[in-house]
Amino acid sequence: MKFNTKTIHGGQKHDPAYGAVMPPIYQTSTYAQTTPGGHKGFEYSRTHNPTRQALEHAFASIENGNYGLAFGSGLAAIDAVMKLLQPGDEVISTNDLYGGSYRLFTKIFEGFGIKFHFVGMENAANIEQYITKNTKLIWVETPTNPMMNIIDIKATAAIAKKHRVLLAVDNTFATPYLQQPLNLGADLVMHSATKYIGGHSDLVMGALIVKDKALADRLYFIQNASGAVCGPQDSFLALRGIKTLHVRMQRHCENGKAVAEYLADHPKIEKVYWPGFEDHPNHDIAKAQMSYFGGMISFVTKGNDYDEAIRIVEKLKIFTLAESLGGVESLSGHPASMTHASIPKEEREKTGVVDALIRLSVGIEDEEDLINDLEQAIG
Ligand code: P1T
């Protein structure tokens, strides 16, 4: 089955009770048993729920995995991955990443004795020098949030395999429409399904997808034991979102290109970060591992002017100033004070997250309206 068919049918069966084409929302916490253990495969909704299971099958299908797991948020999904580790274990992570992931790693899991190395992975060879006998996991975001760095998944997977280390890829920005990390050698894919997967800014959810049964079993154990699952209503919404992922992503990419090119030509803009530009440092890798370049863009005003950046985000009308990304509507954000405020200033400035940086999640509205909105705000 090709991707555009998988988004609609992948892993889905018609409802066995009445043939409903969409999976019913099984809004139940528990299931009747005829005798202890005598049930139809469902005993308690933290463990299994038919609507969530339909979604988990869809996740596995679109990422070319064998097993999918749904969580109550992206961070809950990452939390489950980190619970594969033991005190003394080490993780090598991209140095540019979502501020909440950084906060989870440094403020929760470092306290449990796990050591994190935050490394610039734009050259995958940089990773190897941080590998020790205790390294258990490489954590990659690509494109990174918010600097749009591109990490070579295939090259990183080769390093991970050589040292018998797990490779996890946060595929939130690209989605499987643009990039399929399991096909490139990653062991695990993670999503903040809150974003493009859901696609309509109406739910908070996380996903993990793997190929290996032993790894899936460990993660299912953690999912049930820790219990950070999503409910059936949100599972239904995410399933509905997935059905249009391919058409939405195509428009996000087209609009993203138009906006990136407009900003790059603007005299009041210093620098635009978008992997589709030929002079992006890893444009060739982006071209090789992604089918297009996505709808996420960051930019800095001329002269690194913080006041000007704030003025622009306040003045934008169609681009709503808000946390999050990946919905049909365009959003703007100020990473230094919003999504990445939990990263100390000197750390975030090392990766380019300066106070004058603006991040755009380009939606699927009319391209001309989006450009006009930027024009009136930037001036
Ligand atoms: O918000 P949540 O569903 O828990 O997902 C966390 C997360 C994980 N990974 C990436 C790459 C993310 O971008 C996020 C959440 N990001 C935002 C809310 C944001 O505006 O960047």
Side-chain angles (χ1 to χ4, degrees), residues 173-213:
F173 271 32
T175 83
Y177 178 75
L178 298 178
Q179 151 182 300
Q180 299 184 341
L182 296 178
N183 288 359
L184 299 169
D187 300 293
L188 191 156
V189 168
M190 176 264 154
H191 279 278
S192 169
T194 315
K195 312 299 183 318
Y196 289 106
I197 297 276
H200 298 77
S201 305
D202 52 9
L203 58 88
V204 173
M205 185 183 285
L208 299 178
I209 303 100
V210 301
K211 281 197 158 155
D212 179 64
K213 172 144 187 358

mmCIF file of all heavy atoms in Angstrom, residues 173-213:
data_model
loop_
_atom_site.group_PDB
_atom_site.id
_atom_site.type_symbol
_atom_site.label_atom_id
_atom_site.label_comp_id
_atom_site.label_asym_id
_atom_site.label_seq_id
_atom_site.Cartn_x
_atom_site.Cartn_y
_atom_site.Cartn_z
ATOM 1 N N PHE A 173 8.446 17.300 13.164
ATOM 2 C CA PHE A 173 8.460 18.367 12.153
ATOM 3 C C PHE A 173 8.288 17.822 10.728
ATOM 4 O O PHE A 173 7.692 18.476 9.891
ATOM 5 C CB PHE A 173 9.784 19.161 12.234
ATOM 6 C CG PHE A 173 9.744 20.322 13.192
ATOM 7 C CD1 PHE A 173 8.965 20.291 14.334
ATOM 8 C CD2 PHE A 173 10.505 21.464 12.947
ATOM 9 C CE1 PHE A 173 8.928 21.363 15.223
ATOM 10 C CE2 PHE A 173 10.473 22.553 13.823
ATOM 11 C CZ PHE A 173 9.687 22.500 14.962
ATOM 12 N N ALA A 174 8.839 16.641 10.469
ATOM 13 C CA ALA A 174 8.807 16.130 9.094
ATOM 14 C C ALA A 174 7.523 15.358 8.810
ATOM 15 O O ALA A 174 6.954 15.487 7.719
ATOM 16 C CB ALA A 174 10.014 15.245 8.845
ATOM 17 N N THR A 175 7.063 14.546 9.770
ATOM 18 C CA THR A 175 5.970 13.578 9.597
ATOM 19 C C THR A 175 6.419 12.490 8.601
ATOM 20 O O THR A 175 7.311 12.719 7.775
ATOM 21 C CB THR A 175 4.633 14.186 9.080
ATOM 22 O OG1 THR A 175 4.674 14.312 7.660
ATOM 23 C CG2 THR A 175 4.281 15.482 9.748
ATOM 24 N N PRO A 176 5.742 11.333 8.648
ATOM 25 C CA PRO A 176 6.124 10.272 7.703
ATOM 26 C C PRO A 176 5.822 10.625 6.253
ATOM 27 O O PRO A 176 6.294 9.938 5.339
ATOM 28 C CB PRO A 176 5.287 9.065 8.174
ATOM 29 C CG PRO A 176 4.192 9.634 9.003
ATOM 30 C CD PRO A 176 4.730 10.884 9.619
ATOM 31 N N TYR A 177 5.059 11.673 6.009
ATOM 32 C CA TYR A 177 4.836 12.101 4.618
ATOM 33 C C TYR A 177 6.157 12.535 3.981
ATOM 34 O O TYR A 177 6.399 12.322 2.797
ATOM 35 C CB TYR A 177 3.830 13.263 4.587
ATOM 36 C CG TYR A 177 3.554 13.810 3.198
ATOM 37 C CD1 TYR A 177 2.760 13.102 2.301
ATOM 38 C CD2 TYR A 177 4.090 15.030 2.784
ATOM 39 C CE1 TYR A 177 2.511 13.593 1.030
ATOM 40 C CE2 TYR A 177 3.834 15.533 1.509
ATOM 41 C CZ TYR A 177 3.047 14.808 0.637
ATOM 42 O OH TYR A 177 2.798 15.297 -0.631
ATOM 43 N N LEU A 178 7.016 13.156 4.794
ATOM 44 C CA LEU A 178 8.282 13.680 4.253
ATOM 45 C C LEU A 178 9.463 12.773 4.526
ATOM 46 O O LEU A 178 10.441 12.785 3.779
ATOM 47 C CB LEU A 178 8.583 15.063 4.870
ATOM 48 C CG LEU A 178 7.577 16.169 4.585
ATOM 49 C CD1 LEU A 178 7.984 17.445 5.292
ATOM 50 C CD2 LEU A 178 7.472 16.419 3.085
ATOM 51 N N GLN A 179 9.422 12.011 5.608
ATOM 52 C CA GLN A 179 10.616 11.274 6.033
ATOM 53 C C GLN A 179 10.209 10.084 6.893
ATOM 54 O O GLN A 179 9.383 10.234 7.786
ATOM 55 C CB GLN A 179 11.483 12.270 6.801
ATOM 56 C CG GLN A 179 12.396 11.816 7.871
ATOM 57 C CD GLN A 179 13.113 13.006 8.507
ATOM 58 O OE1 GLN A 179 13.825 13.752 7.848
ATOM 59 N NE2 GLN A 179 12.931 13.198 9.797
ATOM 60 N N GLN A 180 10.802 8.925 6.600
ATOM 61 C CA GLN A 180 10.425 7.714 7.330
ATOM 62 C C GLN A 180 11.667 7.118 7.982
ATOM 63 O O GLN A 180 12.371 6.288 7.399
ATOM 64 C CB GLN A 180 9.729 6.748 6.377
ATOM 65 C CG GLN A 180 8.460 7.404 5.826
ATOM 66 C CD GLN A 180 7.617 6.538 4.944
ATOM 67 O OE1 GLN A 180 8.088 5.531 4.420
ATOM 68 N NE2 GLN A 180 6.368 6.945 4.752
ATOM 69 N N PRO A 181 11.948 7.544 9.230
ATOM 70 C CA PRO A 181 13.211 7.174 9.887
ATOM 71 C C PRO A 181 13.441 5.671 10.037
ATOM 72 O O PRO A 181 14.590 5.219 9.973
ATOM 73 C CB PRO A 181 13.112 7.861 11.256
ATOM 74 C CG PRO A 181 12.185 9.015 11.029
ATOM 75 C CD PRO A 181 11.183 8.518 10.041
ATOM 76 N N LEU A 182 12.371 4.879 10.223
ATOM 77 C CA LEU A 182 12.596 3.434 10.400
ATOM 78 C C LEU A 182 13.187 2.834 9.125
ATOM 79 O O LEU A 182 14.002 1.921 9.178
ATOM 80 C CB LEU A 182 11.293 2.710 10.774
ATOM 81 C CG LEU A 182 10.651 3.098 12.110
ATOM 82 C CD1 LEU A 182 9.351 2.331 12.323
ATOM 83 C CD2 LEU A 182 11.589 2.867 13.287
ATOM 84 N N ASN A 183 12.796 3.375 7.972
ATOM 85 C CA ASN A 183 13.356 2.896 6.694
ATOM 86 C C ASN A 183 14.820 3.281 6.544
ATOM 87 O O ASN A 183 15.544 2.708 5.737
ATOM 88 C CB ASN A 183 12.604 3.504 5.505
ATOM 89 C CG ASN A 183 11.223 2.910 5.349
ATOM 90 O OD1 ASN A 183 10.837 2.036 6.122
ATOM 91 N ND2 ASN A 183 10.481 3.381 4.364
ATOM 92 N N LEU A 184 15.247 4.306 7.287
ATOM 93 C CA LEU A 184 16.630 4.789 7.187
ATOM 94 C C LEU A 184 17.512 4.186 8.281
ATOM 95 O O LEU A 184 18.663 4.576 8.446
ATOM 96 C CB LEU A 184 16.658 6.318 7.265
ATOM 97 C CG LEU A 184 15.881 7.047 6.160
ATOM 98 C CD1 LEU A 184 15.739 8.532 6.476
ATOM 99 C CD2 LEU A 184 16.564 6.862 4.813
ATOM 100 N N GLY A 185 16.957 3.268 9.073
ATOM 101 C CA GLY A 185 17.778 2.554 10.055
ATOM 102 C C GLY A 185 17.534 2.930 11.510
ATOM 103 O O GLY A 185 18.176 2.372 12.394
ATOM 104 N N ALA A 186 16.607 3.863 11.775
ATOM 105 C CA ALA A 186 16.303 4.205 13.173
ATOM 106 C C ALA A 186 15.547 3.032 13.823
ATOM 107 O O ALA A 186 14.890 2.249 13.135
ATOM 108 C CB ALA A 186 15.465 5.474 13.254
ATOM 109 N N ASP A 187 15.663 2.923 15.158
ATOM 110 C CA ASP A 187 14.963 1.857 15.886
ATOM 111 C C ASP A 187 13.588 2.301 16.351
ATOM 112 O O ASP A 187 12.717 1.462 16.586
ATOM 113 C CB ASP A 187 15.776 1.466 17.135
ATOM 114 C CG ASP A 187 17.146 0.959 16.768
ATOM 115 O OD1 ASP A 187 17.209 -0.116 16.147
ATOM 116 O OD2 ASP A 187 18.147 1.652 17.055
ATOM 117 N N LEU A 188 13.436 3.611 16.516
ATOM 118 C CA LEU A 188 12.217 4.112 17.162
ATOM 119 C C LEU A 188 11.885 5.490 16.598
ATOM 120 O O LEU A 188 12.785 6.308 16.412
ATOM 121 C CB LEU A 188 12.541 4.194 18.658
ATOM 122 C CG LEU A 188 11.458 4.443 19.672
ATOM 123 C CD1 LEU A 188 11.912 3.900 21.021
ATOM 124 C CD2 LEU A 188 11.108 5.887 19.803
ATOM 125 N N VAL A 189 10.608 5.695 16.333
ATOM 126 C CA VAL A 189 10.147 7.017 15.888
ATOM 127 C C VAL A 189 9.190 7.560 16.936
ATOM 128 O O VAL A 189 8.373 6.823 17.485
ATOM 129 C CB VAL A 189 9.434 6.930 14.523
ATOM 130 C CG1 VAL A 189 8.705 8.225 14.196
ATOM 131 C CG2 VAL A 189 10.432 6.621 13.430
ATOM 132 N N MET A 190 9.363 8.848 17.222
ATOM 133 C CA MET A 190 8.477 9.500 18.189
ATOM 134 C C MET A 190 7.797 10.680 17.504
ATOM 135 O O MET A 190 8.385 11.316 16.613
ATOM 136 C CB MET A 190 9.333 9.970 19.375
ATOM 137 C CG MET A 190 8.594 10.744 20.427
ATOM 138 S SD MET A 190 8.808 12.497 20.108
ATOM 139 C CE MET A 190 7.345 13.144 20.879
ATOM 140 N N HIS A 191 6.549 10.942 17.915
ATOM 141 C CA HIS A 191 5.827 12.128 17.421
ATOM 142 C C HIS A 191 5.169 12.869 18.555
ATOM 143 O O HIS A 191 4.584 12.236 19.441
ATOM 144 C CB HIS A 191 4.673 11.728 16.487
ATOM 145 C CG HIS A 191 5.107 11.445 15.108
ATOM 146 N ND1 HIS A 191 5.311 12.428 14.180
ATOM 147 C CD2 HIS A 191 5.396 10.281 14.496
ATOM 148 C CE1 HIS A 191 5.706 11.885 13.051
ATOM 149 N NE2 HIS A 191 5.781 10.583 13.211
ATOM 150 N N SER A 192 5.206 14.165 18.502
ATOM 151 C CA SER A 192 4.185 14.943 19.174
ATOM 152 C C SER A 192 3.026 14.951 18.173
ATOM 153 O O SER A 192 3.021 15.732 17.212
ATOM 154 C CB SER A 192 4.662 16.375 19.465
ATOM 155 O OG SER A 192 3.540 17.132 19.883
ATOM 156 N N ALA A 193 2.061 14.038 18.391
ATOM 157 C CA ALA A 193 0.913 13.933 17.479
ATOM 158 C C ALA A 193 -0.028 15.119 17.624
ATOM 159 O O ALA A 193 -0.952 15.302 16.833
ATOM 160 C CB ALA A 193 0.171 12.619 17.729
ATOM 161 N N THR A 194 0.252 15.935 18.639
ATOM 162 C CA THR A 194 -0.424 17.221 18.830
ATOM 163 C C THR A 194 -0.300 18.076 17.567
ATOM 164 O O THR A 194 -1.143 18.942 17.325
ATOM 165 C CB THR A 194 0.296 17.981 19.982
ATOM 166 O OG1 THR A 194 0.532 17.081 21.063
ATOM 167 C CG2 THR A 194 -0.485 19.182 20.454
ATOM 168 N N LYS A 195 0.753 17.848 16.786
ATOM 169 C CA LYS A 195 1.130 18.750 15.701
ATOM 170 C C LYS A 195 0.534 18.271 14.365
ATOM 171 O O LYS A 195 -0.671 18.218 14.239
ATOM 172 C CB LYS A 195 2.654 18.870 15.654
ATOM 173 C CG LYS A 195 3.291 19.143 17.045
ATOM 174 C CD LYS A 195 2.799 20.443 17.611
ATOM 175 C CE LYS A 195 3.394 20.878 18.940
ATOM 176 N NZ LYS A 195 3.609 19.933 19.996
ATOM 177 N N TYR A 196 1.366 17.931 13.377
ATOM 178 C CA TYR A 196 0.836 17.629 12.044
ATOM 179 C C TYR A 196 -0.048 16.370 12.021
ATOM 180 O O TYR A 196 -0.971 16.287 11.216
ATOM 181 C CB TYR A 196 1.974 17.435 11.045
ATOM 182 C CG TYR A 196 2.706 18.709 10.706
ATOM 183 C CD1 TYR A 196 3.974 18.958 11.209
ATOM 184 C CD2 TYR A 196 2.118 19.671 9.884
ATOM 185 C CE1 TYR A 196 4.649 20.123 10.903
ATOM 186 C CE2 TYR A 196 2.784 20.842 9.569
ATOM 187 C CZ TYR A 196 4.055 21.066 10.077
ATOM 188 O OH TYR A 196 4.712 22.216 9.770
ATOM 189 N N ILE A 197 0.253 15.390 12.877
ATOM 190 C CA ILE A 197 -0.522 14.137 12.839
ATOM 191 C C ILE A 197 -1.991 14.443 13.149
ATOM 192 O O ILE A 197 -2.882 14.079 12.388
ATOM 193 C CB ILE A 197 0.052 13.116 13.855
ATOM 194 C CG1 ILE A 197 1.497 12.744 13.477
ATOM 195 C CG2 ILE A 197 -0.861 11.911 14.003
ATOM 196 C CD1 ILE A 197 1.660 11.675 12.464
ATOM 197 N N GLY A 198 -2.229 15.129 14.255
ATOM 198 C CA GLY A 198 -3.604 15.561 14.572
ATOM 199 C C GLY A 198 -4.037 16.611 13.558
ATOM 200 O O GLY A 198 -5.107 16.523 12.964
ATOM 201 N N GLY A 199 -3.212 17.617 13.395
ATOM 202 C CA GLY A 199 -3.352 18.551 12.287
ATOM 203 C C GLY A 199 -4.343 19.692 12.459
ATOM 204 O O GLY A 199 -4.421 20.563 11.603
ATOM 205 N N HIS A 200 -5.119 19.688 13.539
ATOM 206 C CA HIS A 200 -6.172 20.705 13.665
ATOM 207 C C HIS A 200 -6.138 21.435 15.001
ATOM 208 O O HIS A 200 -7.127 22.070 15.390
ATOM 209 C CB HIS A 200 -7.559 20.064 13.440
ATOM 210 C CG HIS A 200 -7.704 19.484 12.070
ATOM 211 N ND1 HIS A 200 -7.128 18.271 11.718
ATOM 212 C CD2 HIS A 200 -8.309 19.942 10.961
ATOM 213 C CE1 HIS A 200 -7.409 18.019 10.449
ATOM 214 N NE2 HIS A 200 -8.133 19.014 9.968
ATOM 215 N N SER A 201 -5.016 21.332 15.727
ATOM 216 C CA SER A 201 -4.836 22.044 17.001
ATOM 217 C C SER A 201 -5.988 21.782 17.968
ATOM 218 O O SER A 201 -6.422 22.689 18.678
ATOM 219 C CB SER A 201 -4.686 23.556 16.750
ATOM 220 O OG SER A 201 -3.635 23.787 15.843
ATOM 221 N N ASP A 202 -6.482 20.541 17.969
ATOM 222 C CA ASP A 202 -7.600 20.245 18.868
ATOM 223 C C ASP A 202 -7.311 19.079 19.804
ATOM 224 O O ASP A 202 -8.217 18.549 20.449
ATOM 225 C CB ASP A 202 -8.898 19.987 18.062
ATOM 226 C CG ASP A 202 -8.718 18.942 16.978
ATOM 227 O OD1 ASP A 202 -7.656 18.273 16.941
ATOM 228 O OD2 ASP A 202 -9.640 18.785 16.159
ATOM 229 N N LEU A 203 -6.046 18.664 19.891
ATOM 230 C CA LEU A 203 -5.721 17.584 20.823
ATOM 231 C C LEU A 203 -4.242 17.656 21.203
ATOM 232 O O LEU A 203 -3.448 18.299 20.512
ATOM 233 C CB LEU A 203 -6.039 16.210 20.208
ATOM 234 C CG LEU A 203 -5.366 15.828 18.892
ATOM 235 C CD1 LEU A 203 -4.017 15.161 19.107
ATOM 236 C CD2 LEU A 203 -6.268 14.874 18.128
ATOM 237 N N VAL A 204 -3.898 16.987 22.316
ATOM 238 C CA VAL A 204 -2.511 16.849 22.765
ATOM 239 C C VAL A 204 -2.246 15.357 22.847
ATOM 240 O O VAL A 204 -3.003 14.624 23.503
ATOM 241 C CB VAL A 204 -2.316 17.523 24.140
ATOM 242 C CG1 VAL A 204 -0.921 17.242 24.693
ATOM 243 C CG2 VAL A 204 -2.540 19.029 24.040
ATOM 244 N N MET A 205 -1.186 14.884 22.158
ATOM 245 C CA MET A 205 -0.982 13.427 22.061
ATOM 246 C C MET A 205 0.441 13.103 21.633
ATOM 247 O O MET A 205 1.089 13.899 20.943
ATOM 248 C CB MET A 205 -1.949 12.860 21.013
ATOM 249 C CG MET A 205 -1.916 11.353 20.909
ATOM 250 S SD MET A 205 -2.997 10.772 19.610
ATOM 251 C CE MET A 205 -4.575 10.990 20.379
ATOM 252 N N GLY A 206 0.909 11.941 22.027
ATOM 253 C CA GLY A 206 2.228 11.479 21.600
ATOM 254 C C GLY A 206 2.149 10.102 20.981
ATOM 255 O O GLY A 206 1.188 9.356 21.217
ATOM 256 N N ALA A 207 3.173 9.767 20.183
ATOM 257 C CA ALA A 207 3.203 8.450 19.533
ATOM 258 C C ALA A 207 4.613 7.899 19.525
ATOM 259 O O ALA A 207 5.585 8.661 19.414
ATOM 260 C CB ALA A 207 2.704 8.578 18.088
ATOM 261 N N LEU A 208 4.705 6.570 19.640
ATOM 262 C CA LEU A 208 5.967 5.862 19.413
ATOM 263 C C LEU A 208 5.688 4.766 18.394
ATOM 264 O O LEU A 208 4.623 4.129 18.448
ATOM 265 C CB LEU A 208 6.490 5.217 20.697
ATOM 266 C CG LEU A 208 6.822 6.136 21.866
ATOM 267 C CD1 LEU A 208 7.277 5.306 23.067
ATOM 268 C CD2 LEU A 208 7.907 7.148 21.485
ATOM 269 N N ILE A 209 6.639 4.542 17.506
ATOM 270 C CA ILE A 209 6.495 3.471 16.517
ATOM 271 C C ILE A 209 7.831 2.732 16.432
ATOM 272 O O ILE A 209 8.892 3.373 16.336
ATOM 273 C CB ILE A 209 6.121 4.012 15.114
ATOM 274 C CG1 ILE A 209 4.819 4.823 15.196
ATOM 275 C CG2 ILE A 209 5.946 2.857 14.124
ATOM 276 C CD1 ILE A 209 4.974 6.303 15.232
ATOM 277 N N VAL A 210 7.778 1.390 16.467
ATOM 278 C CA VAL A 210 8.993 0.578 16.368
ATOM 279 C C VAL A 210 8.734 -0.619 15.459
ATOM 280 O O VAL A 210 7.581 -0.958 15.175
ATOM 281 C CB VAL A 210 9.472 0.074 17.755
ATOM 282 C CG1 VAL A 210 9.758 1.234 18.696
ATOM 283 C CG2 VAL A 210 8.460 -0.874 18.392
ATOM 284 N N LYS A 211 9.842 -1.262 15.044
ATOM 285 C CA LYS A 211 9.724 -2.484 14.240
ATOM 286 C C LYS A 211 9.918 -3.734 15.094
ATOM 287 O O LYS A 211 9.308 -4.762 14.852
ATOM 288 C CB LYS A 211 10.805 -2.481 13.141
ATOM 289 C CG LYS A 211 10.442 -1.596 11.957
ATOM 290 C CD LYS A 211 11.273 -1.909 10.736
ATOM 291 C CE LYS A 211 10.544 -1.435 9.493
ATOM 292 N NZ LYS A 211 11.386 -1.153 8.368
ATOM 293 N N ASP A 212 10.792 -3.609 16.090
ATOM 294 C CA ASP A 212 11.249 -4.773 16.833
ATOM 295 C C ASP A 212 10.257 -5.170 17.932
ATOM 296 O O ASP A 212 9.837 -4.338 18.736
ATOM 297 C CB ASP A 212 12.616 -4.410 17.451
ATOM 298 C CG ASP A 212 13.179 -5.542 18.257
ATOM 299 O OD1 ASP A 212 13.463 -6.590 17.653
ATOM 300 O OD2 ASP A 212 13.319 -5.388 19.485
ATOM 301 N N LYS A 213 9.902 -6.456 17.985
ATOM 302 C CA LYS A 213 8.884 -6.905 18.955
ATOM 303 C C LYS A 213 9.370 -6.774 20.400
ATOM 304 O O LYS A 213 8.610 -6.352 21.281
ATOM 305 C CB LYS A 213 8.479 -8.354 18.643
ATOM 306 C CG LYS A 213 7.587 -8.954 19.712
ATOM 307 C CD LYS A 213 6.547 -9.874 19.155
ATOM 308 C CE LYS A 213 5.518 -10.389 20.112
ATOM 309 N NZ LYS A 213 5.516 -10.085 21.492
#
